[in-house]
Amino acid sequence: MSVPAGEPGNLAHAAFERFLRARECREVLGCFGELCRQLGLQGSGLQLYRGLRAALNSWSAKALWSKLDKKAGHKDYDQGTACASTKCLVVGAGPCGLRAAIELALLGARVVLLEKRDSFSRNNVLHLWPFTIHDLRVLGAKKFYGRFCTGTLDHISIRQLQLILLKVALLLGVEVHVNVQFKGLVPPVGKAGGQGGWRAVLQPGSSPLSNYEFDVLISAGGGKFVPEGFKRKETRGKLAIGITTNFINRHSRAEVEVAEISGVARIYNQKFFQNLYNKTGIDLENIVYYKDDTHYFVMTAKKQSLIKKGVILQDKADIESLLSPENVNRDALLSYAKEAANFSTSYRLPELEFALNHRDLPDVDMFDFTCMTRSENAALVREHNGARLLLGLVGDCLVEPFWPLGTGVARGFLAAFDAAWMVRRWAAGTPPLEVLAERESIYQHLSQTSPDNTNKNISQYSIDPATRYPNINLQAIKPSQVRDLYLVGMVEVDHKRKSDSRLSTVSGDAYEELLSWCQASTAGYRGVTVTNFTTSWTSGLALCALVHHFRPDLVDLGSVDPQDPIRTHQMMLDAAEQELGIQPVLSSAEMAAMAEPSRLGLITYLSQFYEAFKTSPEAEELSKKPLSPRGTRGAILFLSKLQKNRNLAHKRVQDSAQKDAEAKRSRRDMELDAGLDGDTPDGAREPPQTAAADPGQPPSHGDSSDACYFCNRRVYILERASAEGRFFHRSCFQCQRCGATLRLGDYAFHEEDGHFYCSLHSPNPPGMELPQDEPPALPEGGAAVARPPSNAGRPCVSPKEGAPNPPQPPLAAPQPRTEPGAAGDEDAEDTVDVEEQELLAQPGGDAREQEGPGAEPRGAAEEGEEGRGRRKIILTPLEKLKLSTLNLLTTEAEPEPPPKPARLRLQAAPEALPALWREQGIWEEDEETAMEKEALEESDSEEEEEEEEEGTDLDIMAESCLDLGEEEKYPTWKRTLTRRAREAQMKRFCKAQAIQRRLEEIEVTFGELEQQGIKLEKLLRDEDGNPADQKTQWMNQLLYLVQKKNSLMSEESDLMIAVQELKLEEQQWQLDQKLRCYMNMEESLKTPEDCVAEQEILVQLLEVVNKRNVLIHIQEEKRLSELRA
């Protein structure tokens, strides 16, 4: 029954509609106040909500009440009575504070929320995990904001998110007060004086809330505000400068057609950023682009680029001074941000115009996120005069997010749920220490959470931690361990507490323990008697004995020449590096001389053997077979082998090119001059080749480990690194061309000029494309090398990778290669062992032999390609599609399966493909992923029906469509494809940024260890008469630092393996895009050049897939070795 115009009910419904559509904080509060006045409602909490629900019965109101009623009916809330007697104060109206307030209101508590501002002005866009999208939909987000996550969108501006949550909070009875700032706590004076509860110090002091007494305080006031009693800890990386910018979004067709960038990072796509730098002078580490109310860009810029472009006026050591407004040219910053945005979108965004911030200035900001802080604990209890107060943290003041990961709002919501669960337990009368212990047990999981390791059934999420965290142990921390979190009386604040240095408390005698271990491991070997770390090792026999004891397969004691200690040491240094992952600390010449100054270097070197092979006596007695290095060195070993093979491939390419050039020149000279000089070049060039191939010849630039190869300054032990027989400071190990930091397993060395390069700037990268008119060279074993992608930034290519077999899904694990044929490359046979062939070579021996009928898959055929040196592979459309979607990272290699290759855009969709996918079940997913998708699809369909009822405008529909060819014909599979592409791209980006951040933190830690190690080394080398006990203590401290350094090196190597994996994923994604372009073409329209290009891409894609398979095989072996260790 309609309400006549002018009646109170009609006015109230009009006020409700204005409330739903309000777009400013003050407007929302004003409309809600007017609504309550129209209905004559007062009070707060769920009582107010019930009054609103009873009074408003329009169709839009009913749809919203239906959602909120379903949410409030969850068993965790006990029909709104779980916390009925609890009074809460929430500080901060950010997304996390509002979300926590909503949960507390649903529990039945009285909730007062304070916000120091009266406007929501942050245009920056937040990435949303699937569960956050579902959670907000359950709260009725689309009733307030019709564009919310329409289609495949998975992000929202902070301002819009705050508006949605504010409206929900007000409807559920949360009391929101703006322009009120929290300044501290007032302990209760005593119940006798009438002041029996905790109160807040507020500004302005005249606020009526100054008398509000509460027993729970939830702080969501941001990283700079933490209540007294909480302690912070800091992680520091290299200097990191972020830039955010927002441009006006006019929602034009041209703007809609520009694809978003879920994230691209230099660590796996160097070429994009090198092109950006070459064309604009802008040097970035990463960039993200989202479309929402604005065009939002966020990027990490390098300091030198900002200085060169005039954004930063003067270089300063202090970060605050560096980025202070006085030192920043605002106009240059605007130009920098705009140029980066234009380049990253291929200049397709028309007429970029800056949006304005709350100061009516262009919305561009530059900030520092070098240091990330987090609270050591998530909650505490304070007691004063018999009154208890439970304090909890959520949002940035709990864990400051690392923005490139896109984890801020998702982990913030999880923390809000955890805090609400804690309050529920508190209100139920659970002992305070048990409440704190459980909260800290949950908090341990927060920093590691991701969409992959939380429960997949997102529709079942609630404030109960068991619904969100799989296999969580709520008793991981015992009540006795959190007694320090129960504070009685006044609190003494010490926010700058530092962790104590452990150097002064190193226990045991590491020096004597290492010496005893070396003596026991070399006992019984002829001519070996270890009594010290100097003269006992000069002949090289002791080192041979040590290696032979654990790996007899690596040392032929009968061939060791005691009269040639330099050669012996070089042989052992190479074997340890290439087969055990142990990096040299001294040169072979220094080890043969073994003067007293080199003693510290030898001790450091031998300590790596000790850490790699130390076992309990029982374990050593049980294992009679050769030992492998412990898991901590597995990554270093793999990268060492990887680098060796890259160098060998590089050398073969150079040698092949040199021999070809010589042959051509020789033929030309013979034709011109009857061979007068024909033999001279060959004879002149023979000695260098022989010398280069001699593995026993010491490197020409490795005779001294004390001088840096790059800067010639002194290199102390803790700051020493080595590669290719050169020793240097870690900080000096940079690309000769671009200055990028180089790391083990990810560099190129050019023997001719003696310089090191990154993979992008290698003068002759091992994966370079071979000449079109010549067949590819055949490495040992006769395996033909397939042509790799012409991508200068690609990962290294194994020198023995043969042309891969046609696909036979599912692809089997790599099989060991057969022994190389006798006609193979002699130099390569001498330097490449069988184990490396098993680990790093592509499966299969001679590709042309294995591509016979027996290995041919269904629908595949072969056709010889004269002049190209390999066979042509023809696959059916179905097999091509299966190949492009192949994902080899199975659960056998990792606990959680990584994303499938991303497919960002489909320019055309063949009519046969959707039916083909349905028939063959290509898009079938595992059970957990299906549950997650099902929940999202149900929400999608429900919300799409609502959009039709509401007459969703064309802009929203256009925004959701993007420009994916014929997607309007196939909306369901289009949405699935696009969502998967975005998720895969985002996961790859997040993983890359987490790796990059951790690498930078390791680099900073290395610097700290190096400074301490330099001081200790100087003390130990000092000839002054220091007591022997003091020197022993210094030696133990130095060995402790060496142990920490070795541990960090192992972690760094693990991360670099992950980098290799990311590069291969990116390559597969790019090749997949190229292949799809050809697949989407009509066969009748393809030119012969198109067919050839399609076949080449297919071969390249097969090669990348096999590389990923080998990499996963290596990782699985490493994981198993760690379990056995």
Side-chain angles (χ1 to χ4, degrees):
M1 180 177 176
S2 60
V3 180
E7 293 294 322
N10 187 286
L11 295 176
H13 282 96
F16 181 71
E17 292 300 323
R18 289 195 297 273
F19 168 75
L20 292 181
R21 287 168 172 72
R23 297 177 58 84
E24 299 291 340
C25 176
R26 288 187 294 268
E27 184 183 1
V28 170
L29 295 173
C31 290
F32 187 74
E34 180 186 354
L35 175 63
C36 291
R37 286 192 297 272
Q38 291 285 348
L39 297 175
L41 296 176
Q42 295 182 347
S44 62
L46 293 179
Q47 181 181 358
L48 177 63
Y49 167 70
R50 296 185 184 105
L52 291 169
R53 184 182 59 186
L56 299 172
N57 56 7
S58 64
W59 65 266
S60 57
K62 285 182 177 180
L64 184 57
W65 304 146
S66 175
K67 284 186 169 293
L68 295 180
D69 283 346
K70 184 177 180 181
K71 176 70 174 176
H74 194 279
K75 60 186 178 76
D76 287 345
Y77 304 124
D78 289 340
Q79 299 299 318
T81 63
C83 298
S85 59
T86 303
K87 293 189 291 184
C88 305
L89 179 68
V90 179
V91 179
C96 299
L98 287 164
R99 192 65 190 85
I102 290 171
E103 290 299 326
L104 295 174
L106 289 169
L107 286 166
R110 181 187 176 187
V111 185
V112 175
L113 186 144
L114 306 180
E115 171 56 44
K116 63 181 180 181
R117 303 180 182 89
D118 61 358
S119 64
F120 298 152
S121 58
R122 290 183 287 176
N123 291 315
N124 293 353
V125 178
L126 299 172
H127 171 68
L128 300 178
W129 291 3
F131 94 84
T132 53
I133 296 175
H134 179 78
D135 177 68
L136 290 167
R137 281 177 172 160
V138 167
L139 294 176
K142 289 190 70 82
K143 306 300 179 185
F144 307 107
Y145 181 55
R147 295 180 185 273
F148 176 74
C149 290
T150 304
T152 61
L153 298 182
D154 58 358
H155 48 74
I156 189 173
S157 69
I158 299 176
R159 185 178 66 84
Q160 286 291 352
L161 181 57
Q162 286 178 285
L163 289 172
I164 292 171
L165 294 173
L166 174 62
K167 294 172 183 178
V168 175
L170 290 170
L171 292 174
L172 292 175
V174 176
E175 303 174 45
V176 179
H177 299 264
V178 296
N179 295 319
V180 179
Q181 188 172 3
F182 179 87
K183 305 297 289 185
L185 290 168
V186 178
V189 177
K191 293 185 179 181
Q195 299 291 334
W198 290 80
R199 294 178 293 115
V201 179
L202 303 176
Q203 185 179 354
S206 58
S207 172
L209 292 176
S210 298
N211 296 321
Y212 174 60
E213 295 182 358
F214 48 89
D215 48 16
V216 173
L217 171 66
I218 302 297
S219 174
K224 295 182 179 179
F225 170 75
V226 180
E228 294 179 353
F230 288 94
K231 297 171 183 176
R232 310 281 287 173
K233 55 184 176 183
E234 177 184 279
T235 57
R236 177 177 291 272
K238 287 185 176 180
L239 177 64
I241 301 174
I243 297 176
T244 60
T245 182
N246 287 276
F247 299 97
I248 294 175
N249 187 355
R250 299 177 178 85
H251 305 285
S252 66
R253 179 64 185 175
E255 291 171 298
V256 168
E257 289 179 349
V258 179
E260 294 182 332
I261 304 173
S262 294
V264 58
R266 176 185 291 272
I267 199 169
Y268 62 81
N269 192 344
Q270 292 178 318
K271 196 165 187 178
F272 170 83
F273 293 97
Q274 189 62 41
N275 290 337
L276 171 64
Y277 179 75
N278 291 339
K279 294 181 180 180
T280 66
I282 294 174
D283 203 3
L284 303 178
E285 288 288 348
N286 51 51
I287 190 168
V288 174
Y289 161 51
Y290 286 144
K291 270 183 291 191
D292 207 86
D293 288 347
T294 61
H295 295 288
Y296 170 70
F297 292 83
V298 58
M299 61 202 82
T300 302
K302 292 190 175 182
K303 181 180 72 170
Q304 292 304 320
S305 169
L306 293 170
I307 294 174
K308 185 177 179 181
K309 297 284 286 185
V311 178
I312 295 177
L313 302 179
Q314 293 183 351
D315 191 3
K316 298 182 180 181
D318 179 63
I319 298 177
E320 290 187 7
S321 301
L322 181 73
L323 300 183
S324 64
E326 301 80 27
N327 197 43
V328 174
N329 184 330
R330 185 76 180 173
D331 292 336
L333 175 61
L334 299 181
S335 175
Y336 191 98
K338 190 171 185 177
E339 201 167 6
N342 273 321
F343 181 90
S344 62
T345 55
S346 302
Y347 299 88
R348 295 179 61 197
L349 285 176
E351 301 177 7
L352 279 181
E353 182 180 345
F354 288 102
L356 301 181
N357 59 20
H358 61 286
R359 300 187 185 91
D360 289 331
L361 297 174
D363 194 355
V364 181
D365 190 25
M366 187 162 59
F367 60 96
D368 162 55
F369 60 99
T370 303
C371 299
M372 310 301 296
T373 61
R374 56 174 293 163
S375 177
E376 292 187 359
N377 51 284
L380 55 84
V381 173
R382 292 187 61 179
E383 181 180 337
H384 194 82
N385 288 337
R388 291 174 177 170
L389 175 67
L390 176 65
L391 295 94
L393 305 180
V394 297
D396 291 2
C397 62
L398 179 62
V399 178
E400 194 172 6
F402 181 49
W403 74 260
L405 300 184
T407 58
V409 69
R411 290 178 180 168
F413 276 25
L414 291 173
F417 299 159
D418 297 336
W421 180 258
M422 174 185 68
V423 175
R424 186 183 189 277
R425 298 271 289 159
W426 173 268
T430 307
L433 290 181
E434 291 186 18
V435 172
L436 293 174
E438 184 178 270
R439 179 69 187 96
E440 298 308 313
S441 298
I442 300 170
Y443 180 44
Q444 287 183 326
H445 292 258
L446 186 63
S447 294
Q448 285 76 42
T449 53
S450 71
D452 293 329
N453 59 25
T454 49
N455 283 331
K456 298 300 184 292
N457 193 354
I458 58 178
S459 63
Q460 299 300 315
Y461 278 22
S462 73
I463 61 174
D464 185 351
T467 64
R468 294 174 278 119
Y469 309 112
N471 305 318
I472 188 170
N473 180 10
L474 297 179
Q475 285 79 43
I477 294 179
K478 305 302 181 185
S480 59
Q481 297 176 268
V482 294
R483 294 187 185 276
D484 59 325
L485 301 182
Y486 192 100
L487 309 177
V488 180
M490 302 303 292
V491 177
E492 294 184 5
V493 183
D494 181 17
H495 292 297
K496 297 183 179 181
R497 184 177 69 90
K498 300 287 185 180
S499 58
D500 296 331
S501 173
R502 293 165 55 187
L503 284 179
S504 59
T505 59
V506 175
S507 60
D509 193 337
Y511 176 86
E512 290 297 333
E513 185 178 347
L514 177 62
L515 182 60
S516 299
W517 180 79
C518 291
Q519 291 171 338
S521 301
T522 57
Y525 286 88
R526 187 177 61 184
V528 177
T529 304
V530 175
T531 59
N532 54 38
F533 287 114
T534 51
T535 56
S536 298
W537 302 84
T538 54
S539 67
L541 296 178
L543 186 58
C544 290
L546 183 64
V547 174
H548 185 272
H549 178 75
F550 296 102
R551 288 291 301 273
D553 57 310
L554 298 182
V555 184
D556 181 6
L557 294 177
S559 65
V560 175
D561 183 5
Q563 303 303 318
D564 193 353
I566 295 181
R567 185 184 182 89
T568 300
H569 277 110
Q570 188 63 52
M571 180 177 65
M572 288 297 95
L573 290 174
D574 292 342
E577 181 176 10
Q578 296 164 8
E579 303 301 331
L580 305 178
I582 296 176
Q583 299 297 304
V585 179
L586 299 171
S587 68
S588 56
E590 289 173 319
M591 294 190 71
M594 198 48 64
E596 181 65 24
S598 300
R599 184 173 69 102
L600 295 178
L602 178 64
I603 292 172
T604 301
Y605 184 60
L606 294 177
S607 69
Q608 297 183 70
F609 286 89
Y610 176 68
E611 293 171 22
F613 291 113
K614 61 181 178 182
T615 58
S616 63
E618 296 80 5
E620 190 170 357
E621 188 65 28
L622 291 173
S623 180
K624 299 299 183 182
K625 60 183 179 180
L627 297 176
S628 297
R630 294 167 62 88
T632 54
R633 311 220 57 87
I636 298 178
L637 170 60
F638 171 68
L639 288 179
S640 178
K641 287 176 176 288
L642 190 64
Q643 192 63 54
K644 177 184 176 183
N645 280 271
R646 295 180 73 185
N647 295 340
L648 287 174
H650 185 191
K651 182 177 182 301
R652 274 197 297 273
V653 170
Q654 288 182 317
D655 290 346
S656 176
Q658 183 179 7
K659 289 177 182 178
D660 291 342
E662 290 172 1
K664 290 180 180 179
R665 184 168 56 187
S666 176
R667 288 194 299 268
R668 184 173 62 251
D669 291 344
M670 290 176 64
E671 292 174 0
L672 293 176
D673 199 16
L676 287 177
D677 299 325
D679 296 333
T680 305
D682 293 338
R685 280 184 287 273
E686 277 303 318
Q689 293 179 9
T690 304
D694 185 1
Q697 183 71 24
S700 58
H701 292 278
D703 294 337
S704 174
S705 62
D706 285 339
C708 176
Y709 176 69
F710 299 102
C711 68
N712 289 321
R713 292 190 306 220
R714 175 69 177 271
V715 185
Y716 291 91
I717 290 174
L718 259 294
E719 58 181 357
R720 189 175 300 171
S722 66
E724 309 299 326
R726 278 73 171 171
F727 298 91
F728 41 78
H729 301 96
R730 284 180 56 88
S731 58
C732 292
F733 194 32
Q734 298 177 348
C735 174
Q736 175 68 18
R737 283 191 59 186
C738 67
T741 300
L742 301 178
R743 293 183 174 89
L744 179 66
D746 195 25
Y747 68 86
F749 178 67
H750 197 249
E751 292 186 2
E752 294 181 2
D753 60 18
H755 291 149
F756 290 85
Y757 299 90
C758 65
S759 57
L760 185 63
H761 293 123
S762 174
N764 198 9
M768 66 180 297
E769 189 167 355
L770 298 173
Q772 293 280 344
D773 58 343
E774 297 179 15
L778 294 178
E780 68 278 14
V785 178
R787 182 171 309 186
S790 56
N791 181 356
R794 55 173 304 189
C796 57
V797 178
S798 173
K800 296 169 293 307
E801 288 169 349
N805 299 329
Q808 299 185 38
L811 203 62
Q815 300 297 322
R817 279 182 57 114
T818 57
E819 290 288 326
D825 189 334
E826 294 181 359
D827 291 343
E829 286 185 33
D830 291 338
T831 54
V832 182
D833 55 67
V834 176
E835 182 181 354
E836 284 182 326
Q837 295 172 11
E838 294 176 352
L839 296 181
L840 292 174
Q842 296 238 359
D846 192 322
R848 289 170 292 190
E849 294 177 1
Q850 294 197 13
E851 288 177 0
E856 185 176 12
R858 245 177 334 106
E862 291 184 350
E863 180 176 89
E865 237 182 302
E866 295 184 3
R868 303 190 66 83
R870 63 166 178 264
R871 295 197 179 268
K872 184 177 180 180
I873 303 172
I874 301 177
L875 300 181
T876 64
L878 173 61
E879 288 165 336
K880 292 177 184 178
L881 186 63
K882 286 185 176 180
L883 173 65
S884 68
T885 58
L886 186 60
N887 184 9
L888 296 172
L889 301 181
T890 63
T891 53
E892 294 179 0
E894 291 183 358
E896 294 293 335
K900 295 182 180 179
R903 286 164 288 277
L904 187 59
R905 298 177 59 194
L906 297 175
Q907 298 297 338
E911 306 241 345
L913 283 181
L916 190 62
W917 292 337
R918 289 194 296 271
E919 292 172 5
Q920 300 298 332
I922 291 176
W923 297 111
E924 290 180 1
E925 302 174 343
D926 56 53
E927 183 177 354
E928 290 183 339
T929 305
M931 292 167 61
E932 178 181 340
K933 297 297 182 186
E934 182 181 353
L936 280 176
E937 292 297 336
E938 288 177 357
S939 298
D940 283 341
S941 59
E942 178 184 344
E943 300 301 341
E944 285 166 4
E945 291 175 3
E946 294 172 1
E947 286 174 9
E948 292 176 4
E949 293 175 0
E950 297 169 10
T952 306
D953 61 18
L954 293 178
D955 284 344
I956 298 177
M957 297 302 295
E959 192 75 34
S960 65
C961 284
L962 301 178
D963 60 332
L964 300 177
E966 302 178 13
E967 67 180 49
E968 60 273 6
K969 294 185 180 180
Y970 313 108
T972 302
W973 67 262
K974 179 274 303 180
R975 186 167 58 249
T976 302
L977 276 177
T978 311
R979 178 183 292 121
R980 285 181 175 177
R982 293 174 57 81
E983 289 175 356
Q985 187 182 37
M986 189 65 188
K987 286 180 180 178
R988 186 161 60 249
F989 176 72
C990 290
K991 185 175 181 180
Q993 292 312 298
I995 291 172
Q996 182 69 33
R997 176 68 185 187
R998 183 56 189 152
L999 287 173
E1000 292 175 354
E1001 291 174 355
I1002 288 174
E1003 202 65 37
V1004 171
T1005 306
F1006 267 131
E1008 296 171 353
L1009 292 179
E1010 289 168 2
Q1011 293 304 314
Q1012 299 177 56
I1014 291 172
K1015 293 179 182 178
L1016 287 172
E1017 187 173 347
K1018 288 180 177 179
L1019 291 172
L1020 288 168
R1021 292 181 182 273
D1022 190 359
E1023 298 297 334
D1024 293 343
N1026 293 307
D1029 292 344
Q1030 182 65 63
K1031 286 198 170 186
T1032 300
Q1033 178 65 19
W1034 289 337
M1035 178 61 71
N1036 290 335
Q1037 293 174 2
L1038 183 64
L1039 287 175
Y1040 170 75
L1041 294 179
V1042 169
Q1043 181 182 1
K1044 291 189 69 174
K1045 176 188 175 183
N1046 292 339
S1047 177
L1048 288 174
M1049 287 182 63
S1050 296
E1051 183 183 358
E1052 183 182 51
S1053 299
D1054 281 327
L1055 295 173
M1056 292 309 299
I1057 290 178
V1059 169
Q1060 300 295 333
E1061 182 181 341
L1062 285 175
K1063 289 183 176 180
L1064 289 173
E1065 286 182 20
E1066 178 70 11
Q1067 273 194 52
Q1068 183 171 342
W1069 181 84
Q1070 292 178 355
L1071 290 171
D1072 176 68
Q1073 301 307 296
K1074 295 178 182 178
L1075 183 61
R1076 282 187 170 277
C1077 289
Y1078 288 108
M1079 289 172 57
N1080 292 337
M1081 294 174 61
E1082 293 289 342
E1083 290 293 333
S1084 60
L1085 300 179
K1086 291 182 181 179
T1087 65
E1089 291 78 9
D1090 291 334
C1091 295
V1092 171
E1094 183 177 3
Q1095 292 302 314
E1096 289 183 351
I1097 293 172
L1098 185 60
V1099 171
Q1100 295 167 10
L1101 189 57
L1102 282 164
E1103 180 185 354
V1104 172
V1105 165
N1106 277 332
K1107 286 182 185 179
R1108 293 184 66 185
N1109 193 23
V1110 172
L1111 185 60
I1112 295 307
H1113 183 66
I1114 294 294
Q1115 290 178 307
E1116 177 66 5
E1117 287 188 345
K1118 176 179 175 293
R1119 185 183 68 84
L1120 294 176
S1121 69
E1122 290 175 343
L1123 292 176
R1124 292 191 297 264

